[in-house]
Structure formats: C-alpha cells, structure tokens
Amino acid sequence: MSTAVGRSKMADVELRAIAKRYGAVQAVADLDLRVEPGQFVSLLGPSGCGKTTTLRIIAGLVRPDAGQVIIGGRVMNDVPVHHRGLGLVAQNYALFPHMTVMENVTFGLRMRNAAPADIARRAGEALEMVRLTGLQDRYPRQLSGGQQQRVALARCLLVEPAVLLLDEPLGALDKKLREAMQVELKSLQRQVGITAIFVTHDQEEALTLSDRIAVMHQGRIQQVGAPHDIYERPRTRFVAEFIGVCNFLEGEVVGRQPGAVMIRTDGGALVAVGADAHGAPAEGVKVVVAVRPEKLVVGAPGTSHSPALPARVEAVVYVGTAVHYHLRAATGERLIAYRQNDAAAPVALAPGAEVVVSWPATAARLLPDVSG
Amino acid sequence: MPALLLTPLLVFLLAFFVLPFGVMLYESLYLSLVQNPAGSAMTFANYTKAFGDAFYLRVLLQTVALGVAVTALALVLGYPVAYFLARTRSRRRHVLLFLVISPLVVSIVIRSYGWMVLLGRAGTVNTLLQALGLVERPLPLMYNWFGVVVALTHVLLPFMILTLASVIEGIPESLEDTAAVLGAGWWSRFRHVILPLSMEGVGAGVTLVFMLTIGSFVSILLLGGSDTLVLPLLIYQQITLLNNNFAAALGMLLLVLSVVLLYAQARIFRVRGAA
C-alpha cells in the first residue's frame, strides 16, 4: 500500500488471563486470546457476555482487575487510552456532530499536533480512499449511514492505528445496508491489512467477516476458531446453539464401533455419531448429540438407512429458499430439519405426515453433557 | 383542541404578567407626584435620569458586574459537578443530587443567616483563620460584595448544575471514548468534544443564573453593605420614597437587560452542525 492510510503497523494482540469484575458480576474471567497481525477476529456472544468489556480493556477505556494486554509485543496495561495508538469505530460510528467530515477525519492527527500541510494531504488521500471526496464540508447529520461509516473508518485509519477496534458498528443499520457495509468493511480491512477486533452479537455477521471467531459466554471464551470450524465443529452446546440452529439429542454412550459411537437417546432411540477413536467417550457417559437442521434427511417410512428416527411432521414453514420442518420423534424429541428448495425437491410434506429422520454419522457432533 | 389546554395559563400570564408590565411601562413614562406635584405630560425624563446621572449609571453597571461575577463563578464551579452528575453510575448519585439542590430547600432568610454566622467579624471563618494564625485581624467577609457574591453563587449554583447536567447527559459517551482512543487527553476531550456540544446548556445556565442574579434582592439586602447597591434595591428605595414612576423606569431597564440576554443566548450559544 502506498497511500498514507494504507501504512498499517499490523500489530498482534495478546490477552493474558484478563479478568474484570463489576460488583457482583464477573464481566470477564481468566480470558486468553491471541490475534495474529492482520487478522480479522470477532468477539461473538449474547449481550452481557463480556465481549464489549474485553474490547474496552484492549482499548484502555476499562482497566482490567488482572491479566496483561500486549499489543505489538508491548505490555499496554499502564499506557493511557490516548497513548495506545489504536483506532475505534463505536456503535453508531460516534462521529462528532459539531465537526465537518474534514474535521472529524483529521481529529486524530490534530490531537497529535501533526503539521497542517501533512494533515491536509493525508486527509485528502483518506477521503479519496473511502470515496468521500467532495463531502468534506458536510456535517455528519447530512450524510447517509454508509457515508457515516466511511467517515468513521477514515478517521480511524488516518492515525495509522496498530489495531482497529470495532464495537458493533453495524448494529443500528437495517439488514440490506448492513450486508453492504459488511462487504465494504471487510474489503477495506484487507486492503489496509490492519489487525481488526470486531465485537458483535450477530452470528451471521461474525461468520461473514471474520478470519477467526471467539465465542464468548458469561465472561469466558467458549471456543476460538475459523468460521467453518465454529459452525461445523462446535465444542460446547452453547456454541452450537448460538451459532446457527442446532438439534440436540441427550443420551448415553452404549457402544463403540470403528469411527463411530453408538448413543441411546433419553427417548430410547439408537443413533450413531462419527468420532475418532481417541476422542470418543467411554460407555455409560452422558452426552449430547448435535446435528444441524440442514444435515437431516427427511424421508418416507421404510426408505431410510439407519440410524433413523420415526417422526411426525408438526409444522411446515416455507421461507422461500428453503422449507423448515418442525418434527416430533416417536421417542419424544423435537427436531427441526431444513430442506433446500431446489429443483429436485419433492412435493413438500404436510403437517401430520409420518416420516423417518436420518443423517450421515459424520454430520453429527458429540458434545459433553453440561448445560451452557 | 390541544390549544385549548393552554388557555388557563395564558389567562393567568395575561392578568399577572403582561398587564402589570403594561402598567409599569405606562407609569415609567410619567413623572411622579413627588417629582412634579402638578402632574406631567408623557416624558422620557425617568429614563434620561437613569442614564444621565453618574450615580444611577453606576448602580446599573454594578448590577451587570454582579451578574457577570456570580454567573462566571457558578459556571466554573458548576461545570465539573454537572459533568460528574451526568456521567456517574454510582448508586449514591441521588445523594449528590440532593446536595446540589440543598440550597434551594432552605428558606432564604435562614440561608442568609447561615452565611452571617460563617462570614461575620467573629464568625466561623474569621475565628478559624485567626486561630490558625493566618490573619491578625478579622477579614471583612460580609456587608460587602464578597458576601453578596458568595451567598448568591451558593443559592444559584443548583440552576447552573442541573441545566448543564441535563445537556451533558445527552452527549453520547461513545464520543468521548472515540476521542480518547484517537489520542485526545482529558483536556482535549473537554475542549474539543464536551464543551462545544454542551454550549446550549452553558447558554441556558448562564442566562438563568444571570437573570436571577440581577433580579435578586433579599440576599443582597441581608449580606450586602451600603455600597452594594444594585437595581432591585434601588427600585425598592425609590418605591419607599413614593417615586413609583422612576422605580417603574428602572424596572423596565431590568426587563430589557434580561430580554437582550435571552435574545443573545439563542445567537451565541449554538452547537455547530446541529439541525
């Protein structure tokens, strides 16, 4: 990158045993996280999971009770927020309403007492990069949501931050605009090559944008991994439930075969789950079988291979690109199955229809039986 | 008909506000029987007297100067408190709020008496200063401008603080956070973000406190001295001298002063970029 705004420092971020308590609430507990230089990492979780507190600790806006914040190899705990050299795009962008676009964008450089000629040149380049040339004298309220986001990004990138911190910047936008902004955000981040940490409660947004996702729950990181990893191989029930939709069958290990584990569900059905020999739990252990709705195969009785659960269709929801079947297994469990609305799709099943539900053993995941 | 709901208030204001001002304006344009027992034609004599006489002009300037002093003091002392009040998440916020408005829950006479106990020649402050050996003789803290400014600042501070706090509360904290991350220390954040965005509150607080100061009477009567003469006291003097018409003219001056400030407020204290 030859532009001023493109000279990112590409720092890595490391959090070591971070903890923060607010009164009786443990907001963040013993949190470790490594973010490689140039990566886009999302902190994903429901509200109150500690993701925003974690971001604010990295920024220096909140002091952790314990642990270390290391940015670019330097321990930052005692460096005040305005000396950390970071960039923040807050919820609703937090543009200064009493400043023009130009004044907003140059704020950071002015705080650093940069030379006026330097400020003007770099601001011009930054505005060009985010396609805002010609709008420099507008006030934020005179801009569209997309333009506001680009001002916030330009304002951030102009100070060449070591890390870009994004605190649900797209939270206030409607769905269409949000999707457009996601694409724009990601391409700009790639172009600049900056390390980015993104806080969101929107799992789709996290899946779309991130190189890696850290799923948080009750102040702790539940799982860190690439989007497909998090989705296909969730390690806890919480992660499986929070990312996408998932069916859960609670049961007990009753047998082991090469490459698979046999489970007797609490309802009495016998199902197989693909598992390698090392990770497989012993017989008698309580487990949870997790299967994504799109992996379930719903067929007429007698047509399916085992394991197959006899079930009845309770409701059919047509969502355009797919049909969702809400099912009740003969053994009592509730299941949901998605069928892609493709050209080969057979006539949709009606509520009350008797079916059998099956899935490839490798499509199911075995999770420890602990809630949360 | 929502407009109908305004009628009672409008009738009230008409009877007890607009009408008296009309009478006052009318009276200010005639000489009193004390000045001219034969009665007089319409004249601006009362106004030319107020502006032409060095004594009255000094009273007018003293009134404005007192307003400026109390307002400036209230702004400087009140802003940090207002900011804290607006931003704190403490559960004891309501205690602070009560402390802030506490001057208003005490009657003006009791409050002034309290200041007399503190500021008198043998008052608490002087006793303390002498005991500590900081002064040899008691300082003149009362029956002068000092006592007046202290007492008025005390009672008018709540108006400044509450006005500012409500405006500061409306400034999203994310703006301060963003400014901080972008490299602004606390002074820069105040100077470039909080202060400019709270200008409307500053304007409202300044106007309120200034108008209340130039119209205040009892505190100045009780804690002031012979040289702390301001318009309200002068008006009272003139009424006791049966010179109602000159008093009316002085009253109009007080009113004009306030109206000019109200008009200026909307012009001066504006937030840039606001809709």
Side-chain angles (χ1 to χ4, degrees):
Chain A
M1 276 291 124
S2 60
T3 59
V5 282
R7 286 197 303 263
S8 102
K9 293 175 186 119
M10 271 247 219
D12 61 336
V13 177
E14 196 177 345
L15 302 179
R16 283 190 194 153
I18 294 287
K20 178 69 192 178
R21 173 182 282 277
Y22 289 113
V25 181
Q26 189 73 46
V28 179
D30 196 30
L31 184 140
D32 293 289
L33 181 68
R34 235 197 100 71
V35 179
E36 300 299 331
Q39 264 195 345
F40 194 116
V41 172
S42 290
L43 300 177
L44 173 66
S47 73
C49 73
K51 57 191 191 298
T52 297
T53 303
T54 304
L55 190 85
R56 293 173 69 81
I57 286 171
I58 299 170
L61 293 164
V62 169
R63 221 179 157 69
D65 298 334
Q68 282 186 313
V69 177
I70 303 163
I71 300 171
R74 184 175 165 210
V75 178
M76 285 289 185
N77 286 45
D78 294 321
V79 178
V81 48
H82 57 284
H83 288 149
R84 290 200 181 184
L86 306 176
L88 172 70
V89 179
Q91 217 165 39
N92 303 327
Y93 313 132
L95 297 180
F96 304 122
H98 59 301
M99 297 184 197
T100 61
V101 167
M102 181 57 101
E103 289 166 333
N104 263 287
V105 167
T106 57
F107 185 85
L109 289 181
R110 288 187 286 127
M111 290 303 109
R112 286 163 173 73
N113 294 316
D118 199 29
I119 292 176
R121 181 181 55 77
R122 285 164 65 180
E125 289 172 3
L127 288 173
E128 197 175 326
M129 180 172 186
V130 297
R131 308 192 314 277
L132 285 169
T133 311
L135 298 180
Q136 54 262 38
D137 295 326
R138 297 264 184 98
Y139 283 99
R141 65 174 174 86
Q142 298 168 316
L143 301 177
S144 71
Q147 290 168 332
Q148 288 185 18
Q149 165 168 293
R150 299 208 294 270
V151 174
L153 281 168
R155 179 176 67 178
C156 230
L157 296 174
L158 203 58
V159 300
E160 296 170 18
V163 180
L164 181 60
L165 304 173
L166 303 145
D167 186 6
E168 306 219 26
L170 313 176
L173 303 181
D174 62 69
K175 191 173 156 64
K176 275 239 166 66
L177 185 57
R178 194 162 70 223
E179 278 167 9
M181 289 299 101
Q182 284 171 7
V183 173
E184 185 146 9
L185 181 61
K186 181 69 183 176
S187 77
L188 199 61
Q189 183 261 339
R190 274 228 190 85
Q191 193 183 342
V192 179
I194 191 171
T195 311
I197 300 177
F198 184 82
V199 160
T200 182
H201 64 267
D202 184 326
Q203 38 113 352
E204 239 176 89
E205 199 162 273
L207 290 172
T208 314
L209 291 170
S210 317
D211 296 316
R212 286 166 78 228
I213 298 174
V215 183
M216 289 187 69
H217 181 50
Q218 292 176 345
R220 292 170 191 278
I221 289 182
Q222 296 266 313
Q223 188 171 352
V224 186
H228 66 87
D229 212 37
I230 296 275
Y231 187 81
E232 302 288 349
R233 284 183 292 280
R235 277 210 294 267
T236 67
R237 183 167 177 159
F238 175 81
V239 173
E241 210 161 24
F242 193 75
I243 313 280
V245 177
C246 199
N247 293 299
F248 297 107
L249 298 168
E250 285 161 19
E252 196 183 301
V253 177
V254 291
R256 309 206 304 180
Q257 299 171 348
V261 179
M262 298 307 293
I263 317 287
R264 164 105 40 212
T265 70
D266 291 352
L270 197 64
V271 297
V273 175
D276 53 44
H278 312 287
E283 263 178 58
V285 173
K286 295 285 287 173
V287 292
V288 175
V289 179
V291 203
R292 297 285 183 195
E294 69 274 15
K295 318 256 180 187
L296 294 185
V297 181
V298 180
T303 60
S304 171
H305 42 290
S306 73
L309 292 177
R312 175 199 291 272
V313 177
E314 289 201 319
V316 178
V317 180
Y318 178 75
V319 297
T321 55
V323 181
H324 297 180
Y325 295 118
H326 293 257
L327 309 161
R328 165 88 76 169
T331 48
E333 289 95 350
R334 286 174 181 283
L335 296 166
I336 180 164
Y338 298 167
R339 176 179 282 275
Q340 194 65 28
N341 197 5
D342 57 25
V347 177
L349 296 160
E354 298 291 338
V355 294
V356 290
V357 183
S358 61
W359 59 86
T362 50
R365 289 280 298 168
L366 215 49
L367 305 177
D369 183 30
V370 281
S371 48
Chain B
M1 291 296 279
L4 214 61
L5 298 172
L6 296 176
T7 313
L9 180 68
L10 288 178
V11 170
F12 181 86
L13 286 178
L14 193 69
F16 298 103
F17 194 72
V18 178
L19 214 62
F21 266 119
V23 171
M24 203 168 86
L25 178 62
Y26 177 83
E27 286 204 352
S28 74
L29 294 172
Y30 290 90
L31 292 177
S32 69
L33 292 174
V34 182
Q35 294 165 298
N36 190 350
S40 74
M42 196 181 267
T43 171
F44 284 107
N46 284 323
Y47 291 97
T48 49
K49 182 178 165 191
F51 283 108
D53 190 317
F55 175 74
Y56 297 126
L57 206 56
R58 211 190 79 202
V59 172
L60 186 65
L61 291 178
Q62 282 184 169
T63 309
V64 174
L66 178 67
V68 170
V70 171
T71 305
L73 207 55
L75 182 62
V76 172
L77 294 177
Y79 204 107
V81 182
Y83 181 82
F84 183 81
L85 205 57
R87 287 291 189 242
T88 184
R89 289 193 187 88
S90 165
R91 268 173 294 152
R92 279 183 281 282
R93 183 181 188 272
H94 63 279
V95 176
L96 181 66
L97 197 64
F98 175 77
L99 287 177
V100 164
I101 59 171
S102 63
L104 299 177
V105 300
V106 184
S107 115
I108 190 159
V109 176
I110 306 290
R111 191 172 55 240
S112 300
Y113 178 71
W115 281 114
M116 286 175 173
V117 170
L118 284 172
L119 301 178
R121 277 188 68 82
T124 314
V125 175
N126 269 321
T127 311
L128 207 66
L129 289 176
Q130 282 175 299
L132 291 171
L134 293 171
V135 295
E136 274 181 28
R137 270 169 298 171
L139 294 173
L141 301 175
M142 208 171 64
Y143 304 132
N144 54 19
W145 287 113
F146 180 82
V148 169
V149 170
V150 168
L152 284 178
T153 306
H154 176 229
V155 67
L156 297 181
L157 207 46
F159 294 97
M160 182 65 87
I161 292 174
L162 296 181
T163 311
L164 284 172
S166 72
V167 173
I168 295 172
E169 250 174 349
I171 304 172
E173 277 188 80
S174 61
L175 296 185
E176 284 178 79
D177 293 345
T178 306
V181 175
L182 283 168
W186 71 268
W187 173 251
S188 295
R189 297 202 290 274
F190 170 73
R191 170 81 186 68
H192 296 289
V193 179
I194 296 298
L195 184 61
L197 287 173
S198 64
M199 273 326 261
E200 265 171 42
V202 171
V206 161
T207 308
L208 201 58
V209 170
F210 184 85
M211 293 203 303
L212 289 168
T213 303
I214 63 172
S216 62
F217 180 79
V218 179
S219 299
I220 303 175
L221 191 67
L222 294 177
L223 287 155
S226 54
D227 59 336
T228 61
L229 192 57
V230 288
L231 270 179
L233 269 71
L234 183 61
I235 291 169
Y236 175 71
Q237 273 183 9
Q238 293 302 316
I239 292 170
T240 56
L241 295 172
L242 298 179
N243 201 350
N244 286 6
N245 300 66
F246 185 51
L250 294 173
M252 291 309 294
L253 283 185
L254 207 52
L255 176 72
V256 167
L257 215 55
S258 296
V259 170
V260 166
L261 190 72
L262 262 181
Y263 178 76
Q265 180 211 344
R267 297 252 146 179
I268 299 168
F269 300 103
R270 266 202 317 204
V271 177
R272 284 178 68 208

